[in-house]
Amino acid sequence: MPSDVLAPLVDLPGVAEAVDRARSTVDGVLWDRAVRARAAEVVAGSRLRGGWASAAIDGAEVRPDALVSGDALDGSPIGRVVAAALAVQAETPSLVDLVDRAPLQAISRLHAVASAGMVPDDERGRPRRDEVVDDPLRLGALPVAAQASARMIALSVVLTVPTSVPALVVAAVAHAEVAVTRPFGWGSGLVARAMTRLVLAARGVDPDGLTVPEAGLFAAALAAYAEALKAYASGDPEGVGRWIVLHAETVRVGADESRRILADLP
């Protein structure tokens, strides 16, 4: 039986408390009768706002009303990133049953969907073969292609073996590994942020996708997100803990976004 490699992460300073706060807030949304009564509409709003936030994090921020009307999807560079982020949101539910069995396939599929029209067809869903990447968060310190492939294989093992740690910790690791490793030449950030939503759905934290973790990241500010990922990439336990705490907090804030979606419904 493989050792539970994620178990020590729960003992890092602040992690257990941050995860408990986030899970409590998410559970509150899932048990909210008003939210459940209009769940389909809240889920649709969650995907729309999640796509908006994920694109905005990558520098493609548009007016929310332009997103609703479709005017933002105008074929411009910004519009194409927004369209990619929305396509990822639409694809994520179909991969919930796959991510715990074949995570590399799920990651590849997310990238294939995100990168349609953005990279040559033979690069869609395929790991990069060089050290040329799009880096909107300016994370720097890029692992070489061989290291990136090895880390993705290691992540797939982590996601398919039993673990005692909360799903929020697993999601934080999955998100960060894709984000800092940047296994694809373009679109790794969109895939990384989708991994949070995907792992939380697969592990029963938010099975329907009512919450908006991407909105929590946007609210945390780009600099805080990037610095926390850099801290994780350092491999220092304090830095890893810093990322997991921030990630849990963004999930908590993203859960509150569900009620704002409900309030905005006609």
Side-chain angles (χ1 to χ4, degrees), residues 138-161:
R138 299 184 180 180
L139 298 177
L142 180 72
V144 300
Q147 291 174 332
S149 288
R151 285 181 67 164
M152 287 300 96
I153 291 171
L155 175 61
S156 74
V157 173
V158 167
L159 292 176
T160 52
V161 300

Side-chain angles (χ1 to χ4, degrees), residues 8-262:
L9 301 182
V10 181
D11 296 325
L12 294 173
V15 166
E17 295 83 359
V19 166
D20 285 347
R21 285 194 299 271
R23 184 60 193 263
S24 177
T25 304
V26 172
D27 286 348
V29 169
L30 267 57
W31 285 98
D32 187 316
R33 290 185 178 181
V35 172
R36 298 305 310 182
R38 304 189 72 175
E41 294 164 285
V42 174
V43 168
S46 169
R47 292 177 188 164
L48 193 66
R49 294 194 188 190
W52 178 89
S54 192
I57 288 168
D58 274 1
E61 185 173 353
V62 298
R63 299 189 329 272
D65 63 307
L67 189 63
V68 173
S69 68
D71 291 343
L73 309 180
D74 57 7
S76 67
I78 287 177
R80 291 166 69 194
V81 174
V82 172
L86 292 175
V88 167
Q89 291 287 331
E91 186 69 17
T92 299
S94 70
L95 301 175
V96 171
D97 292 335
L98 184 64
V99 70
D100 283 340
R101 294 186 289 106
L104 292 183
Q105 289 183 37
I107 291 169
S108 176
R109 179 59 186 166
L110 285 171
H111 183 259
V113 168
S115 61
M118 304 298 287
V119 304
D121 284 348
D122 63 356
E123 295 179 14
R124 292 175 58 203
R126 297 180 180 274
R128 58 182 169 87
R129 292 168 290 194
D130 55 32
E131 282 61 69
V132 179
V133 300
D134 183 51
D135 188 18
L137 291 177
R138 299 184 180 180
L139 298 177
L142 180 72
V144 300
Q147 291 174 332
S149 288
R151 285 181 67 164
M152 287 300 96
I153 291 171
L155 175 61
S156 74
V157 173
V158 167
L159 292 176
T160 52
V161 300
T163 181
S164 62
V165 307
L168 276 157
V169 174
V170 180
V173 170
H175 181 145
E177 279 296 309
V178 176
V180 305
T181 302
R182 285 152 287 172
F184 307 106
W186 183 91
S188 294
L190 296 178
V191 175
R193 290 184 286 278
M195 288 301 290
T196 289
R197 188 179 279 259
L198 190 52
V199 171
L200 294 184
R203 302 199 174 210
V205 175
D206 182 13
D208 298 323
L210 290 163
T211 66
V212 197
E214 304 88 351
L217 282 169
F218 183 79
L222 195 62
Y225 178 32
E227 288 304 315
L229 284 173
K230 290 177 184 178
Y232 174 92
S234 74
D236 179 74
E238 182 179 346
V240 173
R242 176 181 170 186
W243 160 251
I244 297 172
V245 169
L246 176 82
H247 181 270
E249 176 61 13
T250 63
V251 170
R252 186 193 67 77
V253 173
D256 285 334
E257 186 72 13
S258 302
R259 292 194 173 93
R260 285 187 280 274
I261 292 171
L262 179 65

